[in-house]
Amino acid sequence: MINRNFSNLVENYLFAEIESRSAAYRAANPDKTLLKMGIGDWTAPLCPAVTDALRKASSEMGTPDGFRGYGPYQGYGFLREAISGYYAARGTQVAPDDIFVSDGAKSDTGNITDLFSESATVMIADPVYPVYNDTNVMSGRKIIFADANEENGFLPMPDESTRADVIYLCTPNNPCGTAYTRDKLAQWVEFATRTGALLLCDFAYEAYVTDPDLPRSVYEIPGARDCAIEFCSLSKTAGFTGVRCGWTVIPKELTRDGVNLNAMWLRRQSTKFNGVSYIVQRGAAAVFTPAGQAQTGAQVAAFKANAKMIYDAVTSCGIHCEGGRNSPYVWLKCPDGMGSWDFFDLLLNEEQIICTPGAGFGKNGEGYARLSAFSPREVSTEAMRRFTARFGGHC
């Protein structure tokens, strides 16, 4: 009766373990203030354009004419049109009917597995965002890993000797902060087209891309509409971590085994998901207005500045790191050959800094740690002051 695949999961979810150790430290040291540089939780308030839209929509819901019950399973047209326009402004064509509004990329990257048989083989990079791996473990699928390491810049490329039915890509990458160039992403599209694989592309951090050679959507690549699904989120672009809204793009022409995946996903959503609330979708639509883009853009720019500061501080200590330029994350090699959790405990207990141990993202993450730029500027500044005081001049 019980799904025994759950017994194949690691005992504790990464971020739950981080919180457990942090809570134990707080209890033992109530006079100490912890500097959170670990979990990627947005810390700026919602921008005025969004809060104004949320208030207006809440008021509407309190009137006979403005009240709305169940909404469209695919999302309200006004939001799908706004998202389509967001792509169009960057020269990428994504039709409103290709877009499915959701409560976030985490949910959809896990729920999308409903479309695939349990016999499907899944390829995931290592290190990797845990949700990709764990949701497929829960379903009992065969998982193969593409090694991401210093040698390939933590961006694995297609291997002609390896085949998979479904391939997860995250760019800019979580946890490593690296991103595929347009040429490298095109190689994945060509590989998927030739082998019949389906690419699941997580672009939750696309707003942090500044390098013009780095794509912000897989659909910038010719041929991607025939082999790729894209996931995006407002969590890390507009502070919707607690509000919950994102979207998934499944082109109408995308098929596998003679089945239209756009229609299949709509059927799945209409059965298992009642949609994102009208109020939240009005707030989300405000993100894509001129005022919303200016206001959230300024917030993203502040986190980008944090990321650069963190990157500069770590490299000034002679410690190898990735990310920090087109990503809100800095991925660093633990000094002195330390293990990831040993480094976590050292920073926590001696410097009161919370990082994310790389080992929680896969075997190739052992010996590395992730620092997040989502803390307030003063927290990031103090954390890096302590970091450089301890590791400055390290070789």
Side-chain angles (χ1 to χ4, degrees):
M1 179 176 72
I2 297 298
N3 181 355
R4 298 295 179 185
N5 292 313
F6 273 67
S7 65
N8 296 322
L9 294 168
V10 295
E11 185 174 351
N12 291 324
Y13 181 56
L14 170 62
F15 298 110
E17 178 64 18
I18 291 172
E19 179 52 35
S20 175
R21 296 193 187 199
S22 301
Y25 181 87
R26 289 189 198 94
N29 302 274
D31 58 322
K32 301 288 188 180
T33 298
L34 295 181
L35 305 175
K36 297 181 180 179
M37 304 291 289
I39 192 167
D41 192 1
W42 182 283
T43 55
L46 293 173
C47 74
V50 169
T51 55
D52 288 348
L54 292 173
R55 280 192 290 267
K56 181 179 178 181
S58 295
S59 296
E60 284 182 55
M61 292 288 281
T63 66
D65 292 338
F67 174 78
R68 288 166 175 80
Y70 292 121
Y73 292 115
Q74 199 167 344
Y76 283 98
F78 62 79
L79 178 53
R80 290 187 288 115
E81 291 279 356
I83 294 170
S84 177
Y86 178 65
Y87 281 97
R90 307 198 309 262
T92 304
Q93 300 306 309
V94 173
D97 287 347
D98 294 338
I99 297 166
F100 294 80
V101 176
S102 73
D103 61 354
K106 178 179 182 178
S107 299
D108 277 7
T109 54
N111 291 334
I112 200 73
T113 61
D114 283 0
L115 303 192
F116 315 128
S117 74
E118 292 182 2
S119 63
T121 297
V122 176
M123 180 188 292
I124 301 172
D126 180 352
V128 70
Y129 180 47
V131 172
Y132 309 157
N133 180 75
D134 290 357
T135 51
N136 282 287
V137 168
M138 290 174 184
S139 299
R141 292 188 182 86
K142 178 183 177 181
I143 301 172
I144 57 178
F145 294 97
D147 284 332
N149 48 50
E150 284 188 40
E151 287 68 34
N152 59 26
F154 289 94
L155 291 169
M157 295 302 295
D159 181 348
E160 293 300 330
S161 67
T162 306
R163 292 288 187 270
D165 301 300
V166 179
I167 301 171
Y168 283 81
L169 299 177
C170 182
T171 183
N173 179 273
N174 178 14
C176 304
T178 53
Y180 284 108
T181 63
R182 193 165 281 103
D183 176 67
K184 288 185 174 180
L185 190 57
Q187 291 180 52
W188 275 111
V189 169
E190 188 279 330
F191 179 78
T193 300
R194 178 162 44 82
T195 63
L198 180 69
L199 299 179
L200 302 182
C201 299
D202 186 345
F203 273 84
Y205 299 96
E206 55 81 20
Y208 293 83
V209 171
T210 56
D211 187 335
D213 194 40
L214 300 180
R216 293 175 60 184
S217 168
V218 70
Y219 303 115
E220 295 178 28
I221 309 301
R225 293 183 62 85
D226 295 316
C227 68
I229 293 174
E230 181 166 294
F231 306 91
C232 289
S233 170
L234 292 179
S235 289
K236 307 304 168 55
T237 58
F240 275 52
T241 48
V243 179
R244 307 308 308 154
C245 194
W247 68 92
T248 293
V249 179
I250 306 183
K252 292 183 294 298
E253 61 266 40
L254 182 56
T255 62
R256 283 297 181 272
D257 297 335
V259 177
N260 184 282
L261 297 189
N262 182 290
M264 190 180 185
W265 184 241
L266 178 59
R267 183 67 179 87
R268 186 269 176 202
Q269 293 295 79
S270 63
T271 300
K272 300 178 75 171
F273 183 57
N274 267 333
V276 177
S277 77
Y278 170 75
I279 296 170
V280 167
Q281 290 193 56
R282 279 297 184 190
V287 172
F288 302 105
T289 64
Q293 286 291 281
Q295 292 163 11
T296 58
Q299 292 174 316
V300 168
F303 291 132
K304 286 182 181 180
N306 275 357
K308 182 180 185 302
M309 178 187 66
I310 296 166
Y311 180 88
D312 290 345
V314 173
T315 54
S316 75
C317 296
I319 296 174
H320 176 80
C321 65
E322 307 278 354
R325 288 157 289 189
N326 293 283
S327 165
Y329 298 125
V330 172
W331 179 251
L332 65 97
K333 193 168 188 175
C334 299
D336 300 321
M338 294 183 70
S340 294
W341 281 106
D342 290 336
F343 184 67
F344 172 88
D345 288 336
L346 182 149
L347 286 184
L348 173 64
N349 294 312
E350 298 191 20
E351 303 297 340
Q352 293 77 55
I353 298 171
I354 301 175
C355 69
T356 305
F361 297 103
K363 67 177 180 63
N364 287 352
E366 177 55 65
Y368 292 86
R370 191 191 75 177
L371 293 174
S372 167
F374 285 113
S375 293
R377 182 70 176 189
E378 62 273 16
V379 172
S380 298
T381 300
E382 174 60 18
M384 291 303 98
R385 185 194 67 77
R386 297 183 191 182
F387 189 98
T388 53
R390 183 174 190 92
F391 299 108
H394 187 89
C395 295

